């Protein structure tokens, strides 16, 4: 099949399809063995390995466009928004102790990660600084690139942070609870009816589009998820709709996220990959130890389980941590509210502290 021209770019639909098929194979294998969040973690693992070790399809590395995620990520936000009820909003008033603690936790883990990457890992200062931002992955990478950081290593460390969190946190809860969590347990954010009517489909598309474009216009953090989440929450709280995206659409979204993340390791040398993996693992381990300590200290103050507070402070994706929360019968809204604040705080404090920690580094001139 000859390449097509889409948005001014030559694309190979068959190469996309083959990459997606490999990711799906990894997802289904992970599902068969009972791995947590199998469609996501299985596809990331298999495609990540293929990407790093140089396997090709049709004579080129695995390729999958990141922009395809934009059409599916709103589904996660719509599903989370459907969980909002007046009762939950009343409970939110009592969450201030952990929301306040997050304001201290985020700069603390960022600075610890920065010093660990730079002084223990030998990573160049700017790269270490932006690689250790504990949220807002895309924004952090963009700021680092603007500051002259090593984009490949910075991106690898950031993606490792996300991927390790997605894989290890559900696995830890699986072991501690003696059973599967997340989508491996068949959990969805709010269970929708797979037999949607035409009107239901129009409602879902309309809410998703309104949230996407509205969130982008208003500058929401992670607007692809938080914009549709806000619109869905308002629509469900006001009684305008009770429609929820079907479970299969959430599974498909996880698969697309996993495929797109797995292909991010194309061109990375195995030695650099292993270095990033070791550093990110130590970073995640330290962050999660602090998260557990916070949960032990504050879970009673907010009336939540220790697992809920731990998930709320884990530096993983909003959608993925929410799936784990559902399977553990934890308030998905509690976890989501903290993750939205985590992203805002991560980017804000990263901009603030850069003027002090990176003040000896001039912005590189563009050639």
């Amino acid at each position: 099949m000859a390449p097509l021209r889409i948005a001014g770019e030559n694309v190979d639909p068959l190469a996309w399809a083959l990459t997606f098929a490999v990711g799906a194979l990894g997802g289904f294998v992970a599902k068969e063995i009972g791995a947590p969040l199998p469609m996501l973690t299985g596809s990331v693992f298999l495609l990540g390995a293929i990407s790093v070790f140089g396997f090709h399809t049709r004579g080129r590395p695995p390729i999958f466009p990141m922009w395809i995620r934009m059409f599916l990520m709103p589904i996660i936000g719509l599903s989370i928004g459907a969980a909002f009820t007046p009762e939950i909003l009343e409970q939110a008033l009592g969450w201030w102790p952990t929301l306040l603690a997050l304001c201290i936790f985020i700069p603390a883990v960022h600075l610890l990660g920065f010093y660990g990457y730079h002084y223990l890992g030998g990573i160049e200062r700017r790269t270490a600084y932006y690689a250790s931002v504990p949220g807002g992955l895309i924004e952090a990478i963009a700021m680092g690139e603007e500051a002259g950081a090593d984009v490949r290593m910075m991106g690898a460390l950031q993606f490792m942070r996300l991927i390790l969190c997605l894989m290890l946190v559900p696995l830890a809860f699986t072991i501690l609870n003696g059973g599967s969590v997340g989508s491996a347990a068949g959990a969805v954010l709010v269970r929708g009816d797979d037999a949607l009517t035409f009107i239901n489909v129009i409602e879902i598309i309309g809410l998703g589009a309104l949230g996407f474009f509205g969130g982008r216009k208003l500058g929401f953090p992670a607007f692809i998820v938080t914009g549709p989440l806000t619109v869905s929450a308002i629509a469900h709280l006001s009684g305008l709709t009770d429609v929820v995206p079907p479970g299969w659409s959430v599974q498909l979204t996880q698969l697309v996220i996993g495929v797109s993340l797995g292909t991010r390791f194309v061109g990375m040398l195995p030695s650099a990959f292993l270095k990033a993996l070791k550093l990110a693992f130590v970073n995640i381990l330290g962050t999660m130890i602090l998260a557990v300590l916070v949960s032990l200290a504050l879970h009673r103050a907010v009336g939540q389980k220790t697992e809920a507070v731990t998930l709320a402070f884990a530096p993983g994706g909003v959608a993925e941590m929410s799936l784990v929360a559902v399977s553990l019968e934890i308030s998905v809204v509690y976890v989501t509210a903290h993750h939205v604040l985590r992203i805002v705080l991560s980017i804000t404090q990263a901009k603030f502290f850069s003027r002090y920690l990176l003040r000896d580094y001039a912005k590189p001139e563009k050639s």
Side-chain angles (χ1 to χ4, degrees):
M1 182 183 295
L4 300 176
R5 190 118 179 123
I6 299 177
E9 176 185 3
N10 286 330
V11 299
D12 188 341
L14 184 55
W16 290 4
L18 288 172
T19 300
F20 187 80
V22 171
L25 174 63
F28 283 114
V29 169
K31 193 171 186 177
E32 283 299 313
I33 64 177
L37 299 170
M39 302 311 291
L40 192 153
T41 55
S43 57
V44 165
F45 181 84
L46 184 56
L47 277 170
I50 287 175
S51 298
V52 169
F53 292 104
F55 290 93
H56 288 185
T57 57
R58 287 172 54 83
R60 62 189 302 179
I63 183 172
F64 195 76
M66 294 292 288
W67 56 262
I68 287 183
R69 291 172 22 137
M70 296 173 64
F71 293 98
L72 293 172
M73 288 292 283
I75 290 172
I76 302 295
L78 295 176
S79 296
I80 297 172
F84 278 74
T85 65
E87 293 76 21
I88 285 178
L89 292 183
E90 291 176 7
Q91 295 176 24
L93 296 175
W95 298 345
W96 67 265
T98 46
L99 290 170
L100 183 61
L102 200 61
C103 297
I104 302 171
F105 180 86
I106 291 300
V109 298
H110 183 196
L111 293 178
L112 287 173
F114 164 61
Y115 287 119
Y117 285 162
H118 180 55
Y119 291 107
L120 300 180
I123 302 296
E124 184 270 330
R125 194 176 183 88
R126 286 167 296 193
T127 304
Y129 182 80
Y130 290 105
S132 56
V133 177
L137 181 147
I138 294 174
E139 294 86 350
I141 290 176
M143 288 191 296
E145 185 174 14
E146 179 72 12
D150 179 343
V151 176
R152 179 163 288 179
M153 178 55 74
M154 175 182 60
L157 288 168
Q158 277 285 1
F159 280 111
M160 286 294 185
R161 182 260 302 174
L162 176 61
I163 291 167
L164 284 173
C165 193
L166 300 183
M167 298 181 76
L168 297 179
V169 171
L171 180 62
F173 281 123
T174 296
I175 294 171
L176 292 173
N177 287 275
S180 295
V181 300
S183 54
V188 295
L189 299 177
V190 174
R191 187 171 296 280
D193 186 358
D194 287 349
L196 296 175
T197 66
F198 178 75
I199 297 299
N200 293 151
V201 173
I202 295 299
E203 284 184 89
I204 290 173
I205 294 174
L207 291 171
L210 180 61
F212 177 90
F213 290 107
R216 185 171 67 176
K217 181 72 173 177
L218 295 172
F220 283 13
F223 70 89
I224 284 182
V225 173
T226 56
L229 187 159
T230 302
V231 170
S232 177
I234 293 172
H236 283 84
L237 282 170
S238 63
L240 292 176
T241 185
D242 60 357
V243 67
V244 180
W248 62 262
S249 65
V250 177
Q251 296 283 323
L252 178 61
T253 302
Q254 289 184 60
L255 178 57
V256 169
I257 294 171
V259 170
S260 59
L261 288 178
T263 58
R264 292 296 243 175
F265 296 106
V266 168
M268 191 174 189
L269 295 175
S271 58
F273 174 86
L274 290 175
K275 180 178 182 178
L277 178 62
K278 287 188 290 186
L279 289 173
F281 177 78
V282 173
N283 181 278
I284 281 292
L285 183 62
T287 301
M288 292 311 302
I289 288 173
L290 289 176
V292 170
L293 292 176
V294 171
S295 70
L296 292 173
L298 295 178
H299 74 280
R300 289 189 177 88
V302 293
Q304 297 287 337
K305 299 178 181 178
T306 54
E307 295 93 335
V309 182
T310 301
L311 281 177
F313 281 69
V318 176
E320 293 75 22
M321 296 299 100
S322 297
L323 285 169
V324 180
V326 170
S327 68
L328 293 173
E329 299 182 355
I330 292 168
S331 169
V332 67
V333 181
Y334 174 82
V335 173
T336 302
H338 285 71
H339 278 283
V340 172
L341 179 60
R342 173 180 61 86
I343 295 169
V344 174
L345 289 172
S346 293
I347 300 306
T348 303
Q349 60 88 35
K351 292 178 180 178
F352 178 79
F353 286 112
S354 65
R355 70 185 71 175
Y356 301 105
L357 294 174
L358 304 178
R359 61 177 177 267
D360 296 330
Y361 287 79
K363 180 179 173 182
E365 295 182 4
K366 294 182 180 179
S367 56

